[in-house]
Amino acid sequence: METANTHQTLLFPTDAIDLYNCIMNARIHSSFTGDEAIIEDKEGTDFSAFGGYITGKNVVLERGKKIIQTWRGEEEGWPESHFSEVVFVLKDIEGGCELDFFHTGIPAHKAAAIENGWTEYYWEPLRIYLNR
């Protein structure tokens, strides 16, 4: 299967610990996405988001610094046994937090939709949540 990768650098009006908590705390995650998230801040644990549309495992968790997860979407044409990888690298900067985000191993025919989905369903709602 041919795969694709994406890299995005984003700035958020919060610090790295708060951004980490938005991603790793099920209540906050569910609040800003508007859908159920089951996740805990513990390496080796399974997680799901968007009511089970996203599933994966927490591989590396460095509080306020880095999150590495296996990741798959319940997408037509996404092989059931295939997991991609997402990496969130958080860094406090003046005025907020810089997030370097990498998503690798995306089935190539899903790459554009997944990349757009991160912006539409994740980054934009997260900005709205943080700016409340």
PDB file of all heavy atoms in Angstrom, residues 43-81:
ATOM      1  N   GLU A  43       1.227   5.760  28.832  1.00  0.00           N
ATOM      2  CA  GLU A  43       1.821   5.047  27.699  1.00  0.00           C
ATOM      3  C   GLU A  43       1.307   3.610  27.640  1.00  0.00           C
ATOM      4  O   GLU A  43       1.085   2.974  28.663  1.00  0.00           O
ATOM      5  CB  GLU A  43       3.353   5.048  27.808  1.00  0.00           C
ATOM      6  CG  GLU A  43       3.965   6.398  27.533  1.00  0.00           C
ATOM      7  CD  GLU A  43       5.479   6.394  27.584  1.00  0.00           C
ATOM      8  OE1 GLU A  43       6.095   5.333  27.844  1.00  0.00           O
ATOM      9  OE2 GLU A  43       6.064   7.469  27.363  1.00  0.00           O
ATOM     10  N   GLY A  44       1.123   3.135  26.407  1.00  0.00           N
ATOM     11  CA  GLY A  44       0.709   1.766  26.188  1.00  0.00           C
ATOM     12  C   GLY A  44      -0.792   1.555  26.201  1.00  0.00           C
ATOM     13  O   GLY A  44      -1.251   0.441  25.945  1.00  0.00           O
ATOM     14  N   THR A  45      -1.562   2.606  26.500  1.00  0.00           N
ATOM     15  CA  THR A  45      -3.014   2.457  26.552  1.00  0.00           C
ATOM     16  C   THR A  45      -3.647   2.767  25.202  1.00  0.00           C
ATOM     17  O   THR A  45      -3.154   3.587  24.432  1.00  0.00           O
ATOM     18  CB  THR A  45      -3.642   3.357  27.632  1.00  0.00           C
ATOM     19  OG1 THR A  45      -3.311   4.729  27.360  1.00  0.00           O
ATOM     20  CG2 THR A  45      -3.145   2.975  29.015  1.00  0.00           C
ATOM     21  N   ASP A  46      -4.753   2.094  24.930  1.00  0.00           N
ATOM     22  CA  ASP A  46      -5.540   2.362  23.727  1.00  0.00           C
ATOM     23  C   ASP A  46      -6.349   3.633  23.920  1.00  0.00           C
ATOM     24  O   ASP A  46      -6.660   4.008  25.055  1.00  0.00           O
ATOM     25  CB  ASP A  46      -6.495   1.202  23.437  1.00  0.00           C
ATOM     26  CG  ASP A  46      -5.774  -0.084  23.061  1.00  0.00           C
ATOM     27  OD1 ASP A  46      -4.623  -0.014  22.563  1.00  0.00           O
ATOM     28  OD2 ASP A  46      -6.355  -1.160  23.273  1.00  0.00           O
ATOM     29  N   PHE A  47      -6.692   4.282  22.816  1.00  0.00           N
ATOM     30  CA  PHE A  47      -7.554   5.456  22.876  1.00  0.00           C
ATOM     31  C   PHE A  47      -8.507   5.426  21.688  1.00  0.00           C
ATOM     32  O   PHE A  47      -8.287   4.715  20.698  1.00  0.00           O
ATOM     33  CB  PHE A  47      -6.734   6.760  22.879  1.00  0.00           C
ATOM     34  CG  PHE A  47      -6.126   7.097  21.552  1.00  0.00           C
ATOM     35  CD1 PHE A  47      -6.818   7.878  20.627  1.00  0.00           C
ATOM     36  CD2 PHE A  47      -4.882   6.617  21.202  1.00  0.00           C
ATOM     37  CE1 PHE A  47      -6.262   8.163  19.390  1.00  0.00           C
ATOM     38  CE2 PHE A  47      -4.318   6.896  19.973  1.00  0.00           C
ATOM     39  CZ  PHE A  47      -5.012   7.678  19.053  1.00  0.00           C
ATOM     40  N   SER A  48      -9.552   6.205  21.808  1.00  0.00           N
ATOM     41  CA  SER A  48     -10.438   6.444  20.673  1.00  0.00           C
ATOM     42  C   SER A  48     -10.935   7.884  20.750  1.00  0.00           C
ATOM     43  O   SER A  48     -10.953   8.486  21.828  1.00  0.00           O
ATOM     44  CB  SER A  48     -11.615   5.461  20.659  1.00  0.00           C
ATOM     45  OG  SER A  48     -12.476   5.693  21.743  1.00  0.00           O
ATOM     46  N   ALA A  49     -11.304   8.416  19.609  1.00  0.00           N
ATOM     47  CA  ALA A  49     -11.821   9.783  19.532  1.00  0.00           C
ATOM     48  C   ALA A  49     -12.903   9.826  18.470  1.00  0.00           C
ATOM     49  O   ALA A  49     -13.027   8.913  17.645  1.00  0.00           O
ATOM     50  CB  ALA A  49     -10.693  10.761  19.203  1.00  0.00           C
ATOM     51  N   PHE A  50     -13.661  10.903  18.516  1.00  0.00           N
ATOM     52  CA  PHE A  50     -14.759  11.093  17.577  1.00  0.00           C
ATOM     53  C   PHE A  50     -15.695   9.887  17.572  1.00  0.00           C
ATOM     54  O   PHE A  50     -16.065   9.353  16.526  1.00  0.00           O
ATOM     55  CB  PHE A  50     -14.238  11.411  16.175  1.00  0.00           C
ATOM     56  CG  PHE A  50     -13.568  12.752  16.099  1.00  0.00           C
ATOM     57  CD1 PHE A  50     -12.193  12.861  16.199  1.00  0.00           C
ATOM     58  CD2 PHE A  50     -14.316  13.903  15.946  1.00  0.00           C
ATOM     59  CE1 PHE A  50     -11.567  14.094  16.152  1.00  0.00           C
ATOM     60  CE2 PHE A  50     -13.702  15.148  15.905  1.00  0.00           C
ATOM     61  CZ  PHE A  50     -12.331  15.250  16.002  1.00  0.00           C
ATOM     62  N   GLY A  51     -16.052   9.453  18.786  1.00  0.00           N
ATOM     63  CA  GLY A  51     -17.009   8.368  18.927  1.00  0.00           C
ATOM     64  C   GLY A  51     -16.549   7.051  18.346  1.00  0.00           C
ATOM     65  O   GLY A  51     -17.360   6.230  17.937  1.00  0.00           O
ATOM     66  N   GLY A  52     -15.235   6.824  18.304  1.00  0.00           N
ATOM     67  CA  GLY A  52     -14.686   5.576  17.785  1.00  0.00           C
ATOM     68  C   GLY A  52     -14.218   5.648  16.342  1.00  0.00           C
ATOM     69  O   GLY A  52     -13.653   4.687  15.827  1.00  0.00           O
ATOM     70  N   TYR A  53     -14.404   6.798  15.687  1.00  0.00           N
ATOM     71  CA  TYR A  53     -13.916   6.966  14.315  1.00  0.00           C
ATOM     72  C   TYR A  53     -12.388   6.862  14.274  1.00  0.00           C
ATOM     73  O   TYR A  53     -11.815   6.308  13.339  1.00  0.00           O
ATOM     74  CB  TYR A  53     -14.380   8.309  13.738  1.00  0.00           C
ATOM     75  CG  TYR A  53     -13.666   8.716  12.482  1.00  0.00           C
ATOM     76  CD1 TYR A  53     -13.951   8.093  11.269  1.00  0.00           C
ATOM     77  CD2 TYR A  53     -12.681   9.692  12.506  1.00  0.00           C
ATOM     78  CE1 TYR A  53     -13.270   8.445  10.112  1.00  0.00           C
ATOM     79  CE2 TYR A  53     -12.002  10.045  11.360  1.00  0.00           C
ATOM     80  CZ  TYR A  53     -12.300   9.421  10.163  1.00  0.00           C
ATOM     81  OH  TYR A  53     -11.617   9.763   9.032  1.00  0.00           O
ATOM     82  N   ILE A  54     -11.731   7.384  15.309  1.00  0.00           N
ATOM     83  CA  ILE A  54     -10.270   7.309  15.429  1.00  0.00           C
ATOM     84  C   ILE A  54      -9.940   6.318  16.539  1.00  0.00           C
ATOM     85  O   ILE A  54     -10.516   6.384  17.626  1.00  0.00           O
ATOM     86  CB  ILE A  54      -9.662   8.670  15.814  1.00  0.00           C
ATOM     87  CG1 ILE A  54     -10.080   9.770  14.845  1.00  0.00           C
ATOM     88  CG2 ILE A  54      -8.141   8.571  15.956  1.00  0.00           C
ATOM     89  CD1 ILE A  54      -9.659   9.567  13.434  1.00  0.00           C
ATOM     90  N   THR A  55      -9.007   5.409  16.278  1.00  0.00           N
ATOM     91  CA  THR A  55      -8.518   4.501  17.311  1.00  0.00           C
ATOM     92  C   THR A  55      -7.003   4.422  17.223  1.00  0.00           C
ATOM     93  O   THR A  55      -6.411   4.701  16.174  1.00  0.00           O
ATOM     94  CB  THR A  55      -9.112   3.076  17.157  1.00  0.00           C
ATOM     95  OG1 THR A  55      -8.801   2.577  15.855  1.00  0.00           O
ATOM     96  CG2 THR A  55     -10.616   3.074  17.368  1.00  0.00           C
ATOM     97  N   GLY A  56      -6.386   4.048  18.330  1.00  0.00           N
ATOM     98  CA  GLY A  56      -4.939   3.902  18.333  1.00  0.00           C
ATOM     99  C   GLY A  56      -4.417   3.584  19.711  1.00  0.00           C
ATOM    100  O   GLY A  56      -5.160   3.177  20.605  1.00  0.00           O
ATOM    101  N   LYS A  57      -3.113   3.808  19.870  1.00  0.00           N
ATOM    102  CA  LYS A  57      -2.427   3.502  21.134  1.00  0.00           C
ATOM    103  C   LYS A  57      -1.453   4.634  21.441  1.00  0.00           C
ATOM    104  O   LYS A  57      -0.792   5.163  20.539  1.00  0.00           O
ATOM    105  CB  LYS A  57      -1.671   2.186  21.003  1.00  0.00           C
ATOM    106  CG  LYS A  57      -1.014   1.717  22.294  1.00  0.00           C
ATOM    107  CD  LYS A  57      -0.293   0.389  22.125  1.00  0.00           C
ATOM    108  CE  LYS A  57      -1.210  -0.764  21.942  1.00  0.00           C
ATOM    109  NZ  LYS A  57      -1.929  -1.251  23.112  1.00  0.00           N
ATOM    110  N   ASN A  58      -1.375   4.988  22.718  1.00  0.00           N
ATOM    111  CA  ASN A  58      -0.383   5.960  23.184  1.00  0.00           C
ATOM    112  C   ASN A  58       0.965   5.248  23.291  1.00  0.00           C
ATOM    113  O   ASN A  58       1.110   4.326  24.081  1.00  0.00           O
ATOM    114  CB  ASN A  58      -0.780   6.521  24.556  1.00  0.00           C
ATOM    115  CG  ASN A  58      -2.054   7.326  24.497  1.00  0.00           C
ATOM    116  OD1 ASN A  58      -2.249   8.129  23.599  1.00  0.00           O
ATOM    117  ND2 ASN A  58      -2.932   7.107  25.468  1.00  0.00           N
ATOM    118  N   VAL A  59       1.926   5.679  22.502  1.00  0.00           N
ATOM    119  CA  VAL A  59       3.235   5.023  22.452  1.00  0.00           C
ATOM    120  C   VAL A  59       4.248   5.741  23.339  1.00  0.00           C
ATOM    121  O   VAL A  59       4.905   5.116  24.173  1.00  0.00           O
ATOM    122  CB  VAL A  59       3.746   4.944  20.992  1.00  0.00           C
ATOM    123  CG1 VAL A  59       5.115   4.300  20.928  1.00  0.00           C
ATOM    124  CG2 VAL A  59       2.748   4.193  20.120  1.00  0.00           C
ATOM    125  N   VAL A  60       4.376   7.061  23.165  1.00  0.00           N
ATOM    126  CA  VAL A  60       5.307   7.872  23.964  1.00  0.00           C
ATOM    127  C   VAL A  60       4.545   9.097  24.452  1.00  0.00           C
ATOM    128  O   VAL A  60       3.908   9.795  23.655  1.00  0.00           O
ATOM    129  CB  VAL A  60       6.531   8.328  23.135  1.00  0.00           C
ATOM    130  CG1 VAL A  60       7.406   9.292  23.937  1.00  0.00           C
ATOM    131  CG2 VAL A  60       7.347   7.140  22.665  1.00  0.00           C
ATOM    132  N   LEU A  61       4.614   9.346  25.749  1.00  0.00           N
ATOM    133  CA  LEU A  61       3.978  10.524  26.335  1.00  0.00           C
ATOM    134  C   LEU A  61       4.992  11.243  27.209  1.00  0.00           C
ATOM    135  O   LEU A  61       5.459  10.682  28.202  1.00  0.00           O
ATOM    136  CB  LEU A  61       2.756  10.125  27.168  1.00  0.00           C
ATOM    137  CG  LEU A  61       1.642   9.398  26.427  1.00  0.00           C
ATOM    138  CD1 LEU A  61       0.566   8.932  27.403  1.00  0.00           C
ATOM    139  CD2 LEU A  61       1.040  10.282  25.347  1.00  0.00           C
ATOM    140  N   GLU A  62       5.351  12.462  26.816  1.00  0.00           N
ATOM    141  CA  GLU A  62       6.243  13.318  27.608  1.00  0.00           C
ATOM    142  C   GLU A  62       5.449  14.569  27.916  1.00  0.00           C
ATOM    143  O   GLU A  62       5.295  15.449  27.051  1.00  0.00           O
ATOM    144  CB  GLU A  62       7.514  13.643  26.829  1.00  0.00           C
ATOM    145  CG  GLU A  62       8.372  12.443  26.531  1.00  0.00           C
ATOM    146  CD  GLU A  62       9.591  12.770  25.679  1.00  0.00           C
ATOM    147  OE1 GLU A  62       9.983  13.957  25.599  1.00  0.00           O
ATOM    148  OE2 GLU A  62      10.141  11.835  25.074  1.00  0.00           O
ATOM    149  N   ARG A  63       4.921  14.641  29.123  1.00  0.00           N
ATOM    150  CA  ARG A  63       3.990  15.693  29.528  1.00  0.00           C
ATOM    151  C   ARG A  63       4.478  17.091  29.135  1.00  0.00           C
ATOM    152  O   ARG A  63       5.556  17.514  29.522  1.00  0.00           O
ATOM    153  CB  ARG A  63       3.754  15.618  31.030  1.00  0.00           C
ATOM    154  CG  ARG A  63       2.679  16.538  31.528  1.00  0.00           C
ATOM    155  CD  ARG A  63       2.228  16.126  32.916  1.00  0.00           C
ATOM    156  NE  ARG A  63       1.310  17.085  33.469  1.00  0.00           N
ATOM    157  CZ  ARG A  63       0.054  17.261  33.047  1.00  0.00           C
ATOM    158  NH1 ARG A  63      -0.407  16.530  32.073  1.00  0.00           N
ATOM    159  NH2 ARG A  63      -0.724  18.161  33.597  1.00  0.00           N
ATOM    160  N   GLY A  64       3.677  17.766  28.333  1.00  0.00           N
ATOM    161  CA  GLY A  64       3.994  19.120  27.900  1.00  0.00           C
ATOM    162  C   GLY A  64       5.052  19.211  26.819  1.00  0.00           C
ATOM    163  O   GLY A  64       5.434  20.309  26.419  1.00  0.00           O
ATOM    164  N   LYS A  65       5.505  18.060  26.308  1.00  0.00           N
ATOM    165  CA  LYS A  65       6.581  18.075  25.312  1.00  0.00           C
ATOM    166  C   LYS A  65       6.265  17.270  24.056  1.00  0.00           C
ATOM    167  O   LYS A  65       6.466  17.749  22.940  1.00  0.00           O
ATOM    168  CB  LYS A  65       7.875  17.552  25.919  1.00  0.00           C
ATOM    169  CG  LYS A  65       8.419  18.434  27.016  1.00  0.00           C
ATOM    170  CD  LYS A  65       9.701  17.869  27.586  1.00  0.00           C
ATOM    171  CE  LYS A  65      10.171  18.783  28.707  1.00  0.00           C
ATOM    172  NZ  LYS A  65      11.361  18.298  29.353  1.00  0.00           N
ATOM    173  N   LYS A  66       5.809  16.024  24.235  1.00  0.00           N
ATOM    174  CA  LYS A  66       5.658  15.155  23.062  1.00  0.00           C
ATOM    175  C   LYS A  66       4.599  14.091  23.307  1.00  0.00           C
ATOM    176  O   LYS A  66       4.483  13.558  24.402  1.00  0.00           O
ATOM    177  CB  LYS A  66       6.979  14.482  22.737  1.00  0.00           C
ATOM    178  CG  LYS A  66       6.946  13.609  21.486  1.00  0.00           C
ATOM    179  CD  LYS A  66       8.248  12.866  21.276  1.00  0.00           C
ATOM    180  CE  LYS A  66       9.279  13.802  20.689  1.00  0.00           C
ATOM    181  NZ  LYS A  66      10.518  13.099  20.329  1.00  0.00           N
ATOM    182  N   ILE A  67       3.860  13.799  22.227  1.00  0.00           N
ATOM    183  CA  ILE A  67       2.900  12.702  22.205  1.00  0.00           C
ATOM    184  C   ILE A  67       3.145  11.932  20.915  1.00  0.00           C
ATOM    185  O   ILE A  67       3.189  12.538  19.838  1.00  0.00           O
ATOM    186  CB  ILE A  67       1.443  13.215  22.214  1.00  0.00           C
ATOM    187  CG1 ILE A  67       1.155  14.037  23.472  1.00  0.00           C
ATOM    188  CG2 ILE A  67       0.456  12.062  22.055  1.00  0.00           C
ATOM    189  CD1 ILE A  67      -0.109  14.887  23.373  1.00  0.00           C
ATOM    190  N   ILE A  68       3.327  10.628  21.026  1.00  0.00           N
ATOM    191  CA  ILE A  68       3.418   9.770  19.841  1.00  0.00           C
ATOM    192  C   ILE A  68       2.353   8.697  19.989  1.00  0.00           C
ATOM    193  O   ILE A  68       2.268   8.040  21.031  1.00  0.00           O
ATOM    194  CB  ILE A  68       4.815   9.127  19.688  1.00  0.00           C
ATOM    195  CG1 ILE A  68       5.896  10.197  19.578  1.00  0.00           C
ATOM    196  CG2 ILE A  68       4.837   8.182  18.474  1.00  0.00           C
ATOM    197  CD1 ILE A  68       7.323   9.646  19.524  1.00  0.00           C
ATOM    198  N   GLN A  69       1.537   8.548  18.941  1.00  0.00           N
ATOM    199  CA  GLN A  69       0.455   7.580  18.959  1.00  0.00           C
ATOM    200  C   GLN A  69       0.400   6.812  17.643  1.00  0.00           C
ATOM    201  O   GLN A  69       0.704   7.369  16.588  1.00  0.00           O
ATOM    202  CB  GLN A  69      -0.906   8.282  19.129  1.00  0.00           C
ATOM    203  CG  GLN A  69      -1.046   9.079  20.397  1.00  0.00           C
ATOM    204  CD  GLN A  69      -2.305   9.925  20.411  1.00  0.00           C
ATOM    205  OE1 GLN A  69      -2.698  10.505  19.404  1.00  0.00           O
ATOM    206  NE2 GLN A  69      -2.933  10.008  21.582  1.00  0.00           N
ATOM    207  N   THR A  70      -0.011   5.544  17.721  1.00  0.00           N
ATOM    208  CA  THR A  70      -0.462   4.874  16.514  1.00  0.00           C
ATOM    209  C   THR A  70      -1.868   5.390  16.269  1.00  0.00           C
ATOM    210  O   THR A  70      -2.564   5.798  17.218  1.00  0.00           O
ATOM    211  CB  THR A  70      -0.454   3.341  16.653  1.00  0.00           C
ATOM    212  OG1 THR A  70      -1.362   2.958  17.680  1.00  0.00           O
ATOM    213  CG2 THR A  70       0.951   2.824  16.927  1.00  0.00           C
ATOM    214  N   TRP A  71      -2.325   5.388  15.020  1.00  0.00           N
ATOM    215  CA  TRP A  71      -3.568   6.090  14.682  1.00  0.00           C
ATOM    216  C   TRP A  71      -4.165   5.471  13.436  1.00  0.00           C
ATOM    217  O   TRP A  71      -3.458   5.183  12.481  1.00  0.00           O
ATOM    218  CB  TRP A  71      -3.201   7.543  14.425  1.00  0.00           C
ATOM    219  CG  TRP A  71      -4.279   8.553  14.333  1.00  0.00           C
ATOM    220  CD1 TRP A  71      -4.671   9.412  15.325  1.00  0.00           C
ATOM    221  CD2 TRP A  71      -5.064   8.895  13.185  1.00  0.00           C
ATOM    222  NE1 TRP A  71      -5.654  10.242  14.860  1.00  0.00           N
ATOM    223  CE2 TRP A  71      -5.924   9.939  13.545  1.00  0.00           C
ATOM    224  CE3 TRP A  71      -5.145   8.397  11.886  1.00  0.00           C
ATOM    225  CZ2 TRP A  71      -6.834  10.509  12.674  1.00  0.00           C
ATOM    226  CZ3 TRP A  71      -6.052   8.960  11.006  1.00  0.00           C
ATOM    227  CH2 TRP A  71      -6.874   9.999  11.406  1.00  0.00           C
ATOM    228  N   ARG A  72      -5.482   5.264  13.477  1.00  0.00           N
ATOM    229  CA  ARG A  72      -6.185   4.850  12.260  1.00  0.00           C
ATOM    230  C   ARG A  72      -7.577   5.436  12.273  1.00  0.00           C
ATOM    231  O   ARG A  72      -8.151   5.684  13.331  1.00  0.00           O
ATOM    232  CB  ARG A  72      -6.209   3.336  12.088  1.00  0.00           C
ATOM    233  CG  ARG A  72      -7.213   2.568  12.903  1.00  0.00           C
ATOM    234  CD  ARG A  72      -7.229   1.075  12.584  1.00  0.00           C
ATOM    235  NE  ARG A  72      -7.563   0.743  11.220  1.00  0.00           N
ATOM    236  CZ  ARG A  72      -8.801   0.757  10.709  1.00  0.00           C
ATOM    237  NH1 ARG A  72      -9.815   1.081  11.459  1.00  0.00           N
ATOM    238  NH2 ARG A  72      -8.996   0.426   9.457  1.00  0.00           N
ATOM    239  N   GLY A  73      -8.087   5.673  11.066  1.00  0.00           N
ATOM    240  CA  GLY A  73      -9.440   6.176  10.911  1.00  0.00           C
ATOM    241  C   GLY A  73     -10.339   5.096  10.339  1.00  0.00           C
ATOM    242  O   GLY A  73      -9.906   4.293   9.511  1.00  0.00           O
ATOM    243  N   GLU A  74     -11.573   5.075  10.795  1.00  0.00           N
ATOM    244  CA  GLU A  74     -12.568   4.149  10.245  1.00  0.00           C
ATOM    245  C   GLU A  74     -13.047   4.717   8.916  1.00  0.00           C
ATOM    246  O   GLU A  74     -14.140   5.258   8.805  1.00  0.00           O
ATOM    247  CB  GLU A  74     -13.739   3.972  11.223  1.00  0.00           C
ATOM    248  CG  GLU A  74     -13.398   3.163  12.441  1.00  0.00           C
ATOM    249  CD  GLU A  74     -13.038   1.720  12.108  1.00  0.00           C
ATOM    250  OE1 GLU A  74     -13.604   1.143  11.152  1.00  0.00           O
ATOM    251  OE2 GLU A  74     -12.182   1.172  12.805  1.00  0.00           O
ATOM    252  N   GLU A  75     -12.200   4.636   7.928  1.00  0.00           N
ATOM    253  CA  GLU A  75     -12.439   5.186   6.596  1.00  0.00           C
ATOM    254  C   GLU A  75     -12.613   4.048   5.605  1.00  0.00           C
ATOM    255  O   GLU A  75     -11.870   3.063   5.672  1.00  0.00           O
ATOM    256  CB  GLU A  75     -11.232   6.009   6.138  1.00  0.00           C
ATOM    257  CG  GLU A  75     -11.013   7.299   6.867  1.00  0.00           C
ATOM    258  CD  GLU A  75     -11.718   8.449   6.186  1.00  0.00           C
ATOM    259  OE1 GLU A  75     -12.052   8.352   4.980  1.00  0.00           O
ATOM    260  OE2 GLU A  75     -11.962   9.450   6.877  1.00  0.00           O
ATOM    261  N   GLU A  76     -13.526   4.211   4.690  1.00  0.00           N
ATOM    262  CA  GLU A  76     -13.642   3.236   3.607  1.00  0.00           C
ATOM    263  C   GLU A  76     -12.325   3.216   2.844  1.00  0.00           C
ATOM    264  O   GLU A  76     -11.772   4.255   2.494  1.00  0.00           O
ATOM    265  CB  GLU A  76     -14.784   3.624   2.660  1.00  0.00           C
ATOM    266  CG  GLU A  76     -15.031   2.602   1.582  1.00  0.00           C
ATOM    267  CD  GLU A  76     -16.219   2.962   0.708  1.00  0.00           C
ATOM    268  OE1 GLU A  76     -17.175   3.572   1.211  1.00  0.00           O
ATOM    269  OE2 GLU A  76     -16.152   2.637  -0.482  1.00  0.00           O
ATOM    270  N   GLY A  77     -11.777   2.045   2.655  1.00  0.00           N
ATOM    271  CA  GLY A  77     -10.511   1.910   1.946  1.00  0.00           C
ATOM    272  C   GLY A  77      -9.282   1.989   2.836  1.00  0.00           C
ATOM    273  O   GLY A  77      -8.162   1.871   2.346  1.00  0.00           O
ATOM    274  N   TRP A  78      -9.459   2.216   4.154  1.00  0.00           N
ATOM    275  CA  TRP A  78      -8.319   2.197   5.082  1.00  0.00           C
ATOM    276  C   TRP A  78      -8.218   0.767   5.590  1.00  0.00           C
ATOM    277  O   TRP A  78      -9.120   0.289   6.278  1.00  0.00           O
ATOM    278  CB  TRP A  78      -8.557   3.154   6.240  1.00  0.00           C
ATOM    279  CG  TRP A  78      -7.364   3.329   7.151  1.00  0.00           C
ATOM    280  CD1 TRP A  78      -6.698   2.366   7.836  1.00  0.00           C
ATOM    281  CD2 TRP A  78      -6.717   4.558   7.467  1.00  0.00           C
ATOM    282  NE1 TRP A  78      -5.668   2.892   8.572  1.00  0.00           N
ATOM    283  CE2 TRP A  78      -5.658   4.250   8.361  1.00  0.00           C
ATOM    284  CE3 TRP A  78      -6.909   5.882   7.105  1.00  0.00           C
ATOM    285  CZ2 TRP A  78      -4.810   5.212   8.879  1.00  0.00           C
ATOM    286  CZ3 TRP A  78      -6.066   6.839   7.630  1.00  0.00           C
ATOM    287  CH2 TRP A  78      -5.026   6.514   8.502  1.00  0.00           C
ATOM    288  N   PRO A  79      -7.142   0.061   5.264  1.00  0.00           N
ATOM    289  CA  PRO A  79      -7.024  -1.341   5.693  1.00  0.00           C
ATOM    290  C   PRO A  79      -7.163  -1.480   7.214  1.00  0.00           C
ATOM    291  O   PRO A  79      -6.562  -0.721   7.971  1.00  0.00           O
ATOM    292  CB  PRO A  79      -5.624  -1.738   5.233  1.00  0.00           C
ATOM    293  CG  PRO A  79      -5.322  -0.801   4.110  1.00  0.00           C
ATOM    294  CD  PRO A  79      -5.990   0.498   4.482  1.00  0.00           C
ATOM    295  N   GLU A  80      -7.949  -2.454   7.630  1.00  0.00           N
ATOM    296  CA  GLU A  80      -8.270  -2.630   9.051  1.00  0.00           C
ATOM    297  C   GLU A  80      -7.032  -2.843   9.912  1.00  0.00           C
ATOM    298  O   GLU A  80      -6.976  -2.404  11.062  1.00  0.00           O
ATOM    299  CB  GLU A  80      -9.236  -3.793   9.219  1.00  0.00           C
ATOM    300  CG  GLU A  80      -9.811  -3.883  10.608  1.00  0.00           C
ATOM    301  CD  GLU A  80     -10.919  -4.901  10.715  1.00  0.00           C
ATOM    302  OE1 GLU A  80     -11.716  -5.025   9.774  1.00  0.00           O
ATOM    303  OE2 GLU A  80     -10.975  -5.571  11.761  1.00  0.00           O
ATOM    304  N   SER A  81      -6.022  -3.487   9.383  1.00  0.00           N
ATOM    305  CA  SER A  81      -4.838  -3.785  10.183  1.00  0.00           C
ATOM    306  C   SER A  81      -3.758  -2.695  10.091  1.00  0.00           C
ATOM    307  O   SER A  81      -2.720  -2.813  10.734  1.00  0.00           O
ATOM    308  CB  SER A  81      -4.235  -5.118   9.738  1.00  0.00           C
ATOM    309  OG  SER A  81      -3.809  -5.028   8.387  1.00  0.00           O
TER     310      SER A  81
END
